[in-house]
Structures are given as C-alpha cells and as structure tokens.
C-alpha cells in the first residue's frame, strides 16, 4: 500500500511539474538552471526542455500564400560534452526567382551568477550566413556565455514562397526532449500526404481538427465621372477551413546509440509532408503527385543535367591526348577517373546538380559533387563508354519515402563494361573504380538513362572485401619474435588509404598496437598504397617480451598474440535497430608457430566451425601440430550487410564463439632427453 502511495505521489509531482512549467519565451526558471542532471537519462550531456514548431500559411494580395515556420527551443546543457547543442544551423532555400526569408531570430543564455539568474543576449554580430550550395544557405550562430549548467533559448521564423515544402518535422533527437509541441495548420486549398518514419520504434498520435478562418484585404478602386476622380476602398473577405494537425508529447527518449548503425538519424521519429495537389476557388486541380520516373525526367531535362553531360568542347583536346593509343575500356575509364580527381577537387558541398557548372569547375579546379561527377560522366561518354548518372541520397539525408527531388542530394557515375555496372565517385581521392565512399553507400540509387528514363540500382557492395593475415612466430624463452604480413583487398584497402592518407611514420603501426605493452616494431614496409584499387601489402617484424604465461612446469601461449579479437561489439541485452556492416567481409588468419627447443605440446584448443544463420556468415578455427610446428588457420566471414534486430542474438553468440576460441591457449611442457619432465622457472 505504501509503494502505491509513493508511486502515485511521484507521478502527481511529475504531472504537476509539467503543467506548471512556463514555456513562454524568456520565462526560464532558476530551477531549470540549477538542475544538475536529467531526471530520467542521468548520463545525458544535454536535453531539450521544450521544443515548439508551428507551421501555417499567411496570405497577402501581392504575394498570395506564404508558408510560415516558427521554431522555439529551450535546451539545458549539463556538461561540456553538450556544448555542441549551443550551436545552431538554420537552412534556407534559394531558388532562381525567390528565396526563404529568416526573421525574428533572437536568443538568450541563462546562468546563475552569485545566486542571481543572469541572461546573455545573442548579438547580431554573432550570427553568420554561409553559402552551402547554389540553392542552400545556412544561418549559423553559437549561443554566448555557455557553461556547464546553462539553459539556452532561441526562436526564429522562416517565411517561404515555396508553399509545398513543409518537409520533415523532427520528433526526436539524440538527447531527450522533455516537452514537444507540433502544430500544423493547412488551408483547405492544399492537400498533403503525411508519413511518420516507419523505421522508428516511436509512432505518435496525430491529433486532427478543423477551424474556420478568414483573410481580409483591401483594394483601391478609381472611378471617374464628369472630370471627377473618386477613390473607394473595397474590403474583400475570404473564408476557408484550416485543417489542424497537432502532436503534444512529454518525455521523448533520446535516440539509442548502438554499434554498427549506418546513420542513427535514419531511425529518428519524424513526420514528413508531401504536397499532392492544390484546389483554389474557381480553379482546376493542380496535381503535384509524382512518380520516380517523373522526378528523374524533371532532373534530367528541366534542371539541365542532360545538357551538362553533352558539354565537351572545353576538355576534348586534353582527353584525346590522355587516351591516345588506348582501346581497352577499363584502361580508358581508369585514365579519365584519375584525370578528373587530379584536375578538380571537391569543395565539400553535396548536390546532384552542378553549383558552378562542369566547364567552370574544370577551369577553376573546384566543385561540388554534381560538378565533379557529371564532368566525369561527360568525359566517359566522350570516350564512347557507357556511362550514366546515378542519383542517390546520403545517409544523413535519409531514405526517401516518396517521389520528390528532395529525396536525392548526391550523384555518382555508373559505368557499364562487359555487362557489369561499376559505380564511381571522383570526389573521393582514395576510391578506385567500383569503390564508393561510405557517404554514397545508402541502399538504392536511381540510374538515369538518356532522355531521363530511370531504374533503381543497388548501391551496397555485392563483393566480399578481404583482410588476410599471415604471421610466422618463433620463441626465445618467453619472448615471441615474428614477422607479420597483412593483405588488404577491396574496401579494406580503400579504408587503409583513407586512414593513412597523410604522411606518417610507418603508417602509425606503433600507435595502432599501443595496447600491446613493450612490443618492438622494425622493418616496416607497405606496398601499393598509391595504386588505387590494388591490394595493399603491409609487412613488419616484431619482438614481444613476455608473450607467454608460465604456470608451474607448463607454458601457456595464445597463438593469435595481439591479433586476437578480444571484445564483443554487441554488448547490449536487446537491439532496437538493424545491425549494419559497411560491406561483406572476410578476415583470414594463418599463424605458423615454431615451438621453443625442448618443449612438447600438451594440449591444443579444439578446432571449431560455427555458422551464422543459414548462410550469412561463418567462423572457422583449425589448429594442427606437426613436430615442432603448430599451424592455426582461422576465418571470419560476414556475407551480408544488414541484420534485423531479431537476428541480433545470433550475431552476439557468433562473436562470443570467436572471442572464446581466440582467447584459448596452447599448453606446452618442457622435456629432457631422459624422458623426465623438468620443472620450469616460475612465471610472471
């Protein structure tokens, strides 16, 4: 009975607190600033105390309808790790004839100083505007005087002439949201489809209602009669129905961080709005609903992508010289690919359409993804190769739910040679043919053919990349001396190039092995690092003191030494999201061990073969001893890139088997010629 009373009291206190909270802008309380940790998620580095987003339409007789978005956020900063939440970026769209207008931006930081609540205003000179692309600008600001414990608050309004662009409204962050209010009012003249993110485990009820509303505007009429001019004012009142959609939620949990997730925000709760049609008084229906075929044809024809691909008069002489004497399609493609990467550098802006145009980017040596990869496609076509653009959405842009231009924000080249399709991205200096950077590997892309016809293609690698290790080891007492050979193939090689693209001593192999005490590295060499697409070979010699454990008269040695997998990447009891691997992979281990003189094998770990699912992966661990040589052959193979949450426990057990076998020791015992055992010295 007492437990029920306590629970009821706590619930009453929480509800009372929520109801008594003042969310009006500027009404930050001392209690909010004094709060030391989040009441539910104790380890949160920040939390949204309140978020409000209002979307509605305004009308004037000169401009017609305008889409208005008002945002108000109040955020609590608990620790230094939460300081990033004090920086805000607001995107604005800039079209050919009109643009979004950011107004009413204001913000304050609240701190307790000597027991008094102080506020610091966001000043105009602390707000910056940055051009992200030809069509997007970003207004960026960092709230002033932020420290641990601060509460920050800001509000702004965006007026947009693009009346169909409500877009995604966020319902979840990777920090908790204590109170969320979303309010969307749409006049009866606009019909939108609404989609909540089906990948998110959170689905919120959308409250719907209607309200009659009206706009009144005045016009001046001029009447002339018998040389007398009269002006009269006429008021016009338009009545209509507003359809109102609301979400009001408390205690929205933060996105749960899990390993092997391609992009956490793919699973964030949001509601997306797509304009289907408009129907104004005394007008016919204007249909905006599209198919993916409509979208790609519009991009190819209306936005001029097709025209950009035909422009070749500014590079033809250089390409003719570059390809002189070549007839093999693959060699031609490699030459052009390398030429574009050397000639035009990526400016870090993404887009499927050229910001500068292919000609200007070629002349100036810089461009966005559209500039560079459409230039690449144009050159491949000029060389009579079968190349087309492939539109895609980066992981940070999400996976499009319905046909819209905004569903794409990136373009790469698709090249067919002998019936095989190879994807190419010349913005990545470390990529070979068929190797996309991680930012461009997001499920499916839309390949556009001549004229704008299109089809879906898979962007995920369908080949297995290999990382193979060969290690020869001999022992001098308890010290292991050996030579390590590692071959990186496919996307493993690409990752190696990315991680070691800057000049560094021995590719930082000592730093990579810093977890191994007292190891000495020598004779380090790496081959094919500059030969893009080729297998990388890495070699070094090592000396590892105290590589064995000596207990009594026995020596225990783990054959994989510092190459063993020791930690399970899957530690959580349950899994919310699918598990993603960047690409199908196989890791091979071949270890040859020469026994110390005068020792024999007492026991070897048992060989083992473990399957993952029906045919999704495999783990092999095979040990053999012959004379004074022990050979270990092991393999870890993951054949697919995505595992559903219900397959999580299979993966967890799979790695548990790997860690167990990699941690098992070979047991040796010292012998003497007369057949008697000789006690070894006490171990470490």
């Amino acid at each position: 009975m007492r437990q029920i009373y306590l629970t009821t009291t706590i619930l009453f206190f929480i509800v009372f607190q929520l109801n008594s909270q003042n969310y009006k802008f500027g009404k930050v309380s001392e209690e909010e600033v004094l709060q030391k940790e989040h009441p539910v998620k104790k380890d949160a580095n920040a939390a949204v105390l309140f978020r409000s987003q209002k979307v509605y339409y305004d009308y004037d007789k000169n401009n017609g309808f305008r889409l208005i978005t008002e945002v108000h956020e109040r955020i609590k900063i608990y620790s230094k790790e939460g300081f990033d939440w004090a920086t805000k970026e607001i995107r604005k769209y800039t079209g050919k004839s009109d643009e979004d207008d950011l107004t009413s931006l204001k913000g304050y930081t609240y701190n307790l100083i000597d027991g008094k609540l102080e506020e610091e205003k966001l000043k105009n000179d602390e707000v910056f505007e940055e051009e992200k692309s030809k069509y997007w600008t970003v207004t960026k600001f960092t709230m002033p005087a932020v420290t641990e414990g601060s509460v920050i608050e800001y509000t702004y309004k965006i007026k947009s002439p693009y009346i169909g662009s409500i877009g995604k409204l966020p319902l979840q962050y990777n920090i908790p949201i204590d109170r969320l209010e979303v309010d969307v009012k749409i006049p009866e003249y606009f019909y939108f489809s609404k989609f909540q993110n089906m990948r998110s485990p959170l689905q919120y009820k959308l409250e719907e209602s209607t309200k009659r509303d009206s706009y009144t505007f005045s016009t001046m009429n001029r009447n002339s009669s018998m040389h007398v001019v009269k002006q009269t004012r006429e008021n016009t009142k338009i009545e209509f129905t507003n359809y109102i959609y609301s979400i009001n939620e408390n205690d929205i949990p933060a996105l749960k961080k899990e390993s092997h997730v391609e992009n956490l925000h793919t699973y964030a709760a949001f509601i997306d709005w797509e304009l289907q049609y408009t129907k104004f008084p005394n007008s016919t229906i204007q249909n905006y609903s599209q198919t993916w075929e409509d979208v790609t044809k519009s991009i190819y024809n209306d936005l001029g992508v097709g025209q950009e691909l035909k422009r070749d008069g500014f590079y033809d002489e250089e390409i003719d010289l570059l390809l002189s004497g070549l007839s093999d399609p693959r060699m031609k493609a490699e030459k052009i690919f390398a030429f574009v990467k050397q000639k035009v550098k990526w400016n870090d802006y993404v887009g499927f359409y050229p910001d500068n145009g292919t000609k200007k980017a070629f002349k100036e040596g810089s461009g966005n993804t559209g500039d560079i990869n459409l230039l690449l496609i144009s050159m491949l076509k000029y060389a009579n190769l079968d190349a087309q653009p492939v539109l895609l959405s980066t992981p940070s842009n999400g996976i499009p739910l319905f046909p819209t231009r905004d569903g794409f924000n990136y373009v790469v080249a698709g090249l067919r040679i002998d019936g095989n399709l190879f994807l190419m991205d010349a913005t990545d200096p470390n990529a070979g043919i068929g190797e996309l950077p991680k930012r461009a590997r997001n499920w499916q892309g839309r390949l556009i053919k001549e004229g704008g016809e299109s089809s879906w293609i898979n962007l995920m690698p369908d080949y297995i990349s290999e990382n193979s290790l060969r290690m020869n080891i001999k022992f001098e007492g308890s010290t292991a001396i050996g030579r390590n050979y590692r071959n990186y193939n496919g996307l493993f090689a690409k990752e190696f190039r990315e991680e070691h693209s800057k000049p560094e001593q021995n590719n930082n192999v000592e730093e990579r092995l810093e977890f191994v005490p007292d190891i000495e590295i020598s004779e380090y060499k790496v081959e094919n690092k500059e030969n893009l697409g080729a297998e990388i070979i890495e070699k070094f010699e090592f000396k590892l003191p105290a590589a064995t454990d000596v207990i009594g008269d026995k020596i225990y040695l783990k054959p994989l030494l510092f190459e063993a997998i020791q930690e399970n990447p899957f530690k959580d009891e349950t899994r919310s999201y699918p598990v993603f691997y960047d690409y199908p992979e196989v890791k091979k281990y071949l270890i040859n061990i020469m026994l110390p003189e005068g020792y024999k094998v007492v026991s070897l770990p048992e060989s083992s073969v473990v399957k993952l699912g029906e045919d999704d992966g495999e783990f092999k661990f095979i040990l053999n001893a012959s004379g004074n040589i022990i050979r270990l052959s092991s393999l870890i193979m993951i054949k697919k890139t995505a595992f559903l949450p219900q397959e999580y426990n299979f993966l967890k057990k799979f790695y548990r088997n790997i860690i167990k076998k990699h941690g098992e020791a070979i047991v040796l015992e010292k012998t003497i010629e007369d057949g008697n055992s000789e006690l070894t010295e006490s171990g470490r």
Side-chain angles (χ1 to χ4, degrees):
M1 188 71 183
R2 175 177 171 79
Q3 182 64 41
I4 295 172
Y5 172 77
L6 285 172
T7 303
T8 305
T9 303
I10 292 168
L11 287 172
F12 173 80
F13 176 74
I14 292 172
V15 172
F16 175 79
Q17 216 179 17
L18 288 169
N19 290 336
S20 62
Q21 188 81 42
N22 191 340
Y23 295 122
K24 186 177 180 181
F25 186 83
K27 298 298 182 180
V28 172
S29 66
E30 287 189 15
E31 289 76 15
E32 289 171 314
V33 181
L34 283 169
Q35 192 181 69
K36 298 297 184 185
E37 62 181 21
H38 191 264
V40 178
K41 188 171 175 54
K42 304 293 185 183
D43 60 346
N45 53 48
V48 178
L49 303 179
F50 176 68
R51 173 177 167 83
S52 167
Q53 184 162 2
K54 297 178 180 179
V55 180
Y56 58 92
Y57 287 81
D58 198 8
Y59 182 85
D60 69 67
K61 64 183 181 68
N62 295 319
N63 298 308
F65 282 104
R66 292 257 162 172
L67 181 65
I68 312 297
T69 302
E70 294 182 4
V71 175
H72 170 200
E73 283 193 334
R74 183 182 297 175
I75 298 174
K76 171 71 179 183
I77 308 294
Y78 293 110
S79 64
K80 291 178 180 177
E81 290 74 21
F83 283 6
D84 286 347
W85 287 93
T87 296
K88 179 72 179 178
E89 291 189 359
I90 305 169
R91 292 209 317 166
K92 299 186 302 176
Y93 185 75
T94 303
K96 292 181 179 179
S97 58
D98 213 339
E99 62 183 31
D100 292 343
D101 183 24
L102 175 64
T103 66
S104 307
L105 172 62
K106 57 182 178 180
Y108 291 89
T109 300
Y110 298 86
N111 292 304
L112 271 177
I113 301 175
D114 297 329
K116 184 180 177 182
L117 189 62
E118 301 281 356
E119 61 183 47
E120 184 80 20
K121 183 179 179 180
L122 175 68
K123 298 180 178 63
N124 290 336
D125 60 4
E126 295 171 324
V127 179
F128 305 93
E129 193 162 280
E130 179 182 337
E131 185 178 311
K132 283 289 186 183
S133 72
K134 192 173 184 177
Y135 299 103
W136 291 100
T137 58
V138 167
T139 299
K140 187 174 182 178
F141 58 88
T142 298
M143 298 299 294
V146 171
T147 186
E148 293 177 87
S150 297
V151 171
I152 62 173
E153 188 173 42
Y154 49 79
T155 183
Y156 60 88
K157 181 188 294 187
I158 295 177
K159 297 180 180 180
S160 176
Y162 304 102
I163 55 179
S165 58
I166 294 178
K168 290 180 184 177
L169 306 185
L171 306 178
Q172 188 181 24
Y173 289 157
N174 56 5
I175 57 174
I177 301 177
D178 292 353
R179 175 66 179 172
L180 174 71
E181 296 178 4
V182 174
D183 190 68
V184 180
K185 295 179 181 178
I186 301 176
E188 62 183 84
Y189 314 123
F190 304 89
Y191 179 78
F192 282 83
S193 292
K194 305 169 288 295
F195 305 86
Q196 291 203 47
N197 184 10
M198 299 308 295
R199 290 173 174 267
S200 171
L202 301 179
Q203 301 290 313
Y204 293 114
K205 184 178 179 182
L206 189 65
E207 302 285 350
E208 300 185 25
S209 61
T210 60
K211 181 182 178 182
R212 291 297 290 174
D213 212 335
S214 64
Y215 288 111
T216 301
F217 58 89
S218 299
T219 56
M220 297 296 295
N221 296 320
R222 292 168 58 92
N223 297 312
S224 58
S225 176
M226 299 296 293
H227 307 291
V228 177
V229 178
K230 292 183 178 180
Q231 288 188 337
T232 58
R233 181 183 297 274
E234 182 179 341
N235 291 329
T236 302
K237 185 177 183 180
I238 300 176
E239 294 189 344
F240 60 93
T241 298
N242 253 329
Y243 289 86
I244 303 169
Y245 305 91
S246 301
I247 293 176
N248 296 285
E249 292 289 336
N250 299 316
D251 302 323
I252 295 175
L255 280 164
K256 183 183 176 185
K257 292 182 179 179
E258 295 181 333
S259 65
H260 289 75
V261 174
E262 85 282 27
N263 186 277
L264 189 59
H265 286 276
T266 300
Y267 305 98
F270 62 74
I271 184 165
D272 207 348
W273 304 76
E274 171 73 358
L275 181 62
Q276 296 293 297
Y277 63 82
T278 59
K279 174 65 173 73
F280 294 100
N282 304 317
S283 301
T284 59
I285 290 178
Q286 179 69 44
N287 197 346
Y288 292 90
S289 179
Q290 300 186 92
T291 65
W292 283 116
E293 200 72 21
D294 295 331
V295 169
T296 53
K297 283 184 178 179
S298 171
I299 290 172
Y300 191 86
N301 297 315
D302 298 345
L303 290 184
V305 167
Q307 287 299 114
E308 285 288 342
L309 296 180
K310 295 174 183 176
R311 303 180 69 189
D312 55 25
F314 57 92
Y315 62 68
D316 51 348
E317 292 181 2
E318 290 184 66
I319 297 300
D320 289 342
L321 182 62
L322 182 73
L323 303 181
S324 177
L326 291 180
S327 59
D328 181 72
R330 176 82 185 206
M331 293 181 67
K332 284 184 176 181
E334 288 176 348
K335 284 280 189 181
I336 292 171
F337 197 30
F339 177 72
V340 174
K341 286 193 285 187
Q342 178 270 327
K343 189 76 176 179
V344 189
K345 304 302 180 185
W346 184 38
N347 60 15
D348 293 334
Y349 293 158
V350 301
F352 58 75
Y353 184 78
D355 279 350
N356 298 327
T358 53
K359 182 176 180 179
K360 186 177 180 182
F362 182 78
K363 298 294 183 185
E364 296 183 355
S366 176
N368 75 339
T369 52
D371 292 311
I372 294 171
N373 284 327
L374 290 178
L375 176 63
L376 170 64
I377 298 163
S378 174
M379 289 182 176
L380 293 170
K381 282 179 168 294
Y382 178 79
N384 294 317
L385 299 176
D386 185 5
Q388 294 94 19
V390 176
L391 301 174
L392 59 93
S393 173
T394 59
S396 60
N397 194 54
I399 297 171
L401 300 175
F402 43 77
T404 171
R405 284 184 187 176
D406 293 339
F408 301 120
N409 70 331
Y410 205 97
V411 65
V412 297
L415 172 67
R416 288 196 185 277
I417 300 177
D418 296 330
N420 297 312
L421 181 65
F422 299 93
L423 300 176
M424 304 164 68
D425 185 349
T427 69
D428 185 347
N430 296 300
I433 292 177
E435 299 177 350
L436 290 182
K438 190 174 180 178
R439 61 177 176 268
R441 300 196 297 264
N442 191 26
W443 291 98
Q444 293 186 110
R446 195 84 183 176
L447 185 144
I448 310 181
K449 301 171 187 175
E450 202 80 36
E453 293 184 0
S454 61
S455 59
W456 290 112
I457 64 163
N458 180 34
L459 297 173
M460 307 305 289
D462 58 1
Y463 56 89
I464 293 180
S465 295
E466 186 174 310
N467 183 335
S468 60
L469 167 74
R470 181 163 58 92
M471 189 157 59
N472 297 328
I473 310 167
K474 68 177 181 177
F475 285 88
E476 294 179 357
S478 62
T479 297
I481 298 172
R483 186 153 182 84
N484 192 299
Y485 305 82
R486 190 179 286 276
N487 292 48
Y488 302 89
N489 177 289
L491 291 172
F492 277 118
K494 181 180 181 303
E495 283 186 354
F496 185 94
R497 292 183 176 97
E498 289 170 348
E499 292 168 3
H500 307 289
S501 58
K502 297 177 181 177
E504 50 195 16
Q505 181 66 30
N506 290 344
N507 291 296
N508 280 352
V509 66
E510 291 92 349
E511 188 175 311
R512 282 183 270 156
L513 296 175
E514 64 181 357
F515 65 94
V516 185
D518 303 323
I519 191 168
E520 298 175 22
I521 304 296
S522 60
E523 301 298 321
Y524 181 89
K525 292 180 182 178
V526 63
E527 299 174 9
N528 290 335
K529 183 179 171 183
E530 307 303 324
N531 188 6
L532 298 185
E535 180 180 68
I536 288 177
I537 302 169
E538 183 183 44
K539 309 173 186 177
F540 61 85
E541 294 181 1
F542 65 88
K543 184 176 182 181
L544 181 60
T548 63
D549 291 315
V550 180
I551 301 175
D553 62 346
K554 293 182 173 61
I555 292 179
Y556 297 79
L557 66 90
K558 295 177 181 179
L560 283 156
L561 297 180
F562 48 83
E563 297 287 359
I565 295 177
Q566 302 179 41
E567 187 176 358
N568 196 326
F570 306 111
K571 301 183 181 70
D572 294 336
E573 289 299 316
T574 59
R575 180 81 182 191
S576 300
Y577 316 127
V579 174
F580 283 91
Y581 287 81
D582 288 339
Y583 42 84
E585 63 178 47
V586 61
K587 294 179 179 178
K588 295 180 178 179
Y589 305 82
L590 180 60
I591 314 293
N592 297 307
I593 301 172
M594 182 181 292
L595 295 184
E597 189 174 346
Y599 282 86
K600 68 176 182 179
V601 176
V602 175
S603 69
L604 288 174
E606 289 185 4
S607 295
S608 176
V609 177
V610 178
K611 294 284 186 181
L612 175 60
E614 290 186 6
D615 192 30
D616 298 328
E618 186 178 35
F619 169 56
K620 290 182 179 179
F621 186 89
I622 299 170
L623 263 174
N624 292 300
S626 178
N628 68 335
I629 300 294
I630 298 174
R631 170 170 287 197
L632 167 63
S633 174
S634 184
L635 172 146
I636 303 169
M637 180 181 289
I638 305 292
K639 292 185 178 181
K640 67 178 186 178
T641 56
F643 293 83
L644 297 175
Q646 51 265 39
E647 298 176 290
Y648 174 69
N649 283 331
F650 296 120
L651 271 171
K652 193 174 179 180
K653 291 176 183 176
F654 182 72
Y655 277 90
R656 195 180 296 154
N657 277 308
I658 295 171
I659 292 164
K660 178 177 179 295
K661 299 306 293 183
H662 277 205
E664 289 179 350
I666 299 168
V667 183
L668 307 177
E669 186 178 59
K670 193 168 185 179
T671 60
I672 54 176
E673 289 185 2
D674 62 7
N676 297 319
S677 294
E678 181 181 291
L679 294 179
T680 60
E681 295 180 1
S682 179
R684 289 182 294 162

